[in-house]
């Protein structure tokens, strides 16, 4: 059986973690393909005996299913301290991690200087109004990917040989000190301290490290089903997002192949996770943003505060111009619509179907230049809302007709059906299908 890739269709925080957790029940392997500890995938469940909520930053969202192997692929930038901390916390909950977690030997490492460089860069950008701060998560993601592509990164495999690590680090740190001291006036870094710290990490990380691409391809050859988990969202993709207000990796479908080392021919399904409204953390254009009372209502009802940084998320109406664009870039074969319950009681609902460009022309095309995107005016269709609490629904048929019409509107505009609809944070609050009965929806994880 092939690969199913789960992709955020907006600016991240769509609820991918919850979906991947659910799909893990039937998956043979769950593999994360990009990003780093900037992600925050919240998993909530209540199995009758215990109720847990856990925010995963690096470890794939399949880890709470005993027996399911989880892979951190080569496309991820790994913060060793963060992954070890996460392993410890998950083991403290009684789950076995060592037997199941595999970390790519080719993954690049986040080094302490990546966070320092990032903080200095963001501070400098904030001072310069022509080049505003990105509003990053501060996890060193951008500088780590910069080093990777500049071919001066340190990889997991480098930890195996302390003398090689020392040589590479000495070179890297000379370079970083020149920038930190010379450009940003920051304190220089000490090589010995960092070598010692990372050699100590190696002793702990070693049991998890392997050639994960080979592992995954062997699994595919054995007919196993891999769920590939993306982090962030398509509109934060470094190529397809609202550049430069993006992350530094490829959350879009293509990132799955390069970030795991699996062939594109193995990817059979691309599930687009669509939050029923829009949110964004960090800076950058957001055409349907609601800065007044309705935005505040969405933030409160949806608990829209960053899972990694705690920052309040910016909230707005659903943007189908942006979604049609990401559906096309990713080739979604099905959608999962999440947080539909948050819209209950909001009154009439607006959905953006076109943008008015600064010259007055209307378009359904998502502009690629941030300068245009910042100045478009969203054109809305208004749909009737519903007042009923829908969190207790157990089948799509239980939803009020207005909620089903809202789902149908999304499906029709994007020309993709919803395989699932989520109406609350718990595992059982996921309905099979969208507006159509489940039997007419595309096949879901098996
Ligand atoms: P970075 O990924 O930390 O470099 O941040 C770049 C941009 O991506 C900022 O706007 C962040 O707020 C945003 N971002 C990074 N990770 C996430 C995420 O998991 N959810 C939502 N936004 C994110």
């Amino acid at each position: 059986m092939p690969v199913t890739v789960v992709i955020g269709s907006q600016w991240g925080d769509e609820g991918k973690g919850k979906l991947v957790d659910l799909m893990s029940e039937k998956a043979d392997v769950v593999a994360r393909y990009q990003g780093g500890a900037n992600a925050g995938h919240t998993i909530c469940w209540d199995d009758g005996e215990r109720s847990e909520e856990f925010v995963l930053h690096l470890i794939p969202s399949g880890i709470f299913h005993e027996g399911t192997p989880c892979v951190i692929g080569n496309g991820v930038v790994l913060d060793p301290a963060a992954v070890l901390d996460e392993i410890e916390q998950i083991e403290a909950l009684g789950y076995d991690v060592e037997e199941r977690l595999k970390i790519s030997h080719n993954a690049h490492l986040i080094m302490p200087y990546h966070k320092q460089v990032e903080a200095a860069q963001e501070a400098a950008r904030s001072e310069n109004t022509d080049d505003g701060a990105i509003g990053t998560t501060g996890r060193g993601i951008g500088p780590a990917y910069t080093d990777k592509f500049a071919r001066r990164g340190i990889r997991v495999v480098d930890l195996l040989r302390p003398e090689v690590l020392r040589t590479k680090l000495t070179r890297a740190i000379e370079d970083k000190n020149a920038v930190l001291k010379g450009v940003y006036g920051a304190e220089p870094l000490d090589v010995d301290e960092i070598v010692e710290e990372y050699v100590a990490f190696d002793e702990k990380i070693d049991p998890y490290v392997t050639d994960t691409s080979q592992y995954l391809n062997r699994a595919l050859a054995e007919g196993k089903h891999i769920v590939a988990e993306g982090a962030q969202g398509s509109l934060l993709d470094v190529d397809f997002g609202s550049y430069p207000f993006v992350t530094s990796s490829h959350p879009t479908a293509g990132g799955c192949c390069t970030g795991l080392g699996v062939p594109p021919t193995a990817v059979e399904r691309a599930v687009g996770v669509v939050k029923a409204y829009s949110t964004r953390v960090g800076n950058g254009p957001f055409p349907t943003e609601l800065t007044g009372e309705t935005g505040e209502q969405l933030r409160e009802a949806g608990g829209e505060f960053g899972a990694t940084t705690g920052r309040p998320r910016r909230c707005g109406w659903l943007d189908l111009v942006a979604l049609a664009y990401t559906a096309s870039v990713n080739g979604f074969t099905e959608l999962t619509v999440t947080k539909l319950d948050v819209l209950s009681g909001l009154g009439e609902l607006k959905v953006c179907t076109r943008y008015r460009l600064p010259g007055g022309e209307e378009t359904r095309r998502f502009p690629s230049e941030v300068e245009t995107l910042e100045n478009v005016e969203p054109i809305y269709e208004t749909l009737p809302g519903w007042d009923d609490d829908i969190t207790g629904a157990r089948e799509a048929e239980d939803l009020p007709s207005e909620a089903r019409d809202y789902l149908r509107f999304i499906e029709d505009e994007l020309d993709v059906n919803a395989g699932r609809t989520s109406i609350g944070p718990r595992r059982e609050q996921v309905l099979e299908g969208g507006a159509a009965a489940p039997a007419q929806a595309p096949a879901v994880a098996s």
Side-chain angles (χ1 to χ4, degrees):
M1 249 199 290
V3 177
T4 297
V5 55
V6 175
I7 304 152
S9 63
Q10 293 149 316
W11 279 285
D13 310 313
E14 297 91 354
K16 299 175 290 296
K18 180 189 174 186
L19 176 66
V20 172
D21 168 58
L22 198 76
M23 291 171 87
S24 303
E25 267 175 39
K26 292 183 181 165
D28 296 305
V29 186
V30 179
R32 168 88 182 267
Y33 61 84
Q34 44 71 231
N38 48 350
H41 295 161
T42 307
I43 315 288
C44 310
W45 76 95
D46 182 347
D47 63 7
E49 284 178 26
R50 61 179 174 173
S51 145
E52 309 281 3
E53 176 173 315
F54 197 93
V55 181
L56 292 162
H57 299 287
L58 277 161
I59 296 183
S61 303
I63 201 72
F64 295 112
H65 289 272
E66 290 292 7
T68 306
C70 289
V71 168
I72 296 181
N74 56 280
V76 170
V77 281
L78 188 83
D79 184 334
V83 82
L84 289 171
D85 186 42
E86 218 165 292
I87 292 171
E88 206 174 291
Q89 289 183 49
I90 296 168
E91 285 187 335
L93 289 172
Y95 292 90
D96 160 61
V97 180
E98 186 165 334
E99 285 298 306
R100 291 189 294 133
L101 180 66
K102 296 173 195 321
I103 298 176
S104 168
H105 65 321
N106 280 342
H108 279 246
L109 292 167
I110 300 267
M111 308 302 291
Y113 46 79
H114 290 139
K115 292 179 196 166
Q116 280 156 294
V117 169
E118 180 176 19
Q121 281 172 343
E122 283 283 88
R125 281 198 185 109
S126 302
E127 279 165 23
N128 179 356
T129 46
D130 293 336
D131 185 18
I134 307 291
T136 66
T137 57
R139 300 297 190 267
I141 306 298
Y145 279 113
T146 304
D147 277 355
K148 171 174 174 169
F149 288 99
R151 296 167 292 184
R152 58 177 179 234
I154 314 271
R155 298 189 297 170
V156 169
V157 69
D158 296 324
L159 295 178
L160 285 176
R161 289 182 294 162
E163 69 291 356
V164 175
L165 179 66
R166 174 176 292 277
T167 311
K168 289 193 175 179
L169 261 174
T170 307
R171 237 183 276 137
I173 284 173
E174 266 170 27
D175 180 53
K176 291 299 176 284
N177 276 342
V179 176
L180 280 169
K181 246 178 87 186
V183 182
Y184 301 113
E187 286 297 305
L189 302 151
D190 183 84
V191 181
D192 292 331
E193 238 174 64
I194 301 179
V195 172
E196 202 181 309
E197 190 185 354
Y198 277 69
V199 166
F201 284 142
D202 178 50
E203 282 163 23
K204 295 188 182 151
I205 278 180
D206 203 45
Y208 305 94
V209 177
T210 189
D211 180 339
T212 51
S213 166
Q214 200 185 56
Y215 172 81
L216 291 169
N217 281 297
R218 210 179 305 124
L220 285 172
E222 288 165 6
K224 293 192 170 152
H225 177 209
I226 298 170
V227 172
E229 177 177 31
Q232 291 83 47
S234 302
L235 297 169
L236 290 173
D237 186 285
V238 68
D239 274 294
F240 298 104
S242 46
Y243 191 88
F245 298 98
V246 292
T247 192
S248 302
S249 64
H250 292 291
T252 46
C256 156
C257 295
T258 51
L260 294 177
V262 294
T265 42
V267 181
E268 191 165 82
R269 294 165 56 210
V271 183
V273 187
V274 176
K275 181 145 57 181
Y277 50 97
S278 307
T279 60
R280 175 166 201 164
V281 267
N283 301 332
F286 183 177
T288 62
E289 182 168 13
L290 292 163
T291 49
E293 203 183 311
T294 313
E296 192 55 46
Q297 251 178 297
L298 280 172
R299 186 173 308 115
E300 286 305 318
E304 296 295 353
F305 297 89
T308 299
T309 59
R311 290 180 288 180
R313 295 180 185 140
R314 300 156 66 192
C315 296
W317 295 121
L318 191 72
D319 184 343
L320 286 168
V321 178
L323 278 167
Y325 166 68
T326 61
S328 132
V329 167
N330 291 296
F332 293 145
T333 55
E334 67 194 76
L335 308 175
T336 289
V337 178
T338 60
K339 291 192 141 182
L340 188 66
D341 53 301
V342 174
L343 298 181
S344 301
L346 268 194
E348 285 185 330
L349 304 171
K350 291 191 176 176
V351 178
C352 170
T353 55
R354 282 159 295 145
Y355 293 156
R356 184 167 292 114
L357 294 168
E361 188 194 336
E362 288 185 15
T363 183
R364 286 178 182 267
R365 192 185 76 83
F366 187 76
S368 52
E369 337 73 59
V370 87
E371 294 75 14
T372 307
L373 194 56
E374 268 164 355
N375 292 302
V376 298
E377 181 198 331
I379 301 174
Y380 292 109
E381 302 266 332
T382 302
L383 303 182
W386 60 92
D387 287 329
D388 312 6
D389 173 6
I390 59 170
T391 54
R394 289 296 168 264
E395 292 181 23
E397 286 85 347
D398 298 340
L399 295 173
S401 61
E402 295 85 354
R404 294 184 66 172
D405 287 346
Y406 188 81
L407 290 172
R408 186 171 296 111
F409 193 86
I410 300 171
E411 291 175 320
D412 288 351
E413 286 280 318
L414 301 182
D415 201 18
V416 188
N417 279 356
R420 289 182 165 122
T421 304
S422 168
I423 44 139
R426 294 199 311 276
R427 281 176 172 170
E428 67 273 19
Q429 291 175 305
V430 176
L431 315 177
E432 293 296 311
Q440 292 159 33
V444 286
S446 54

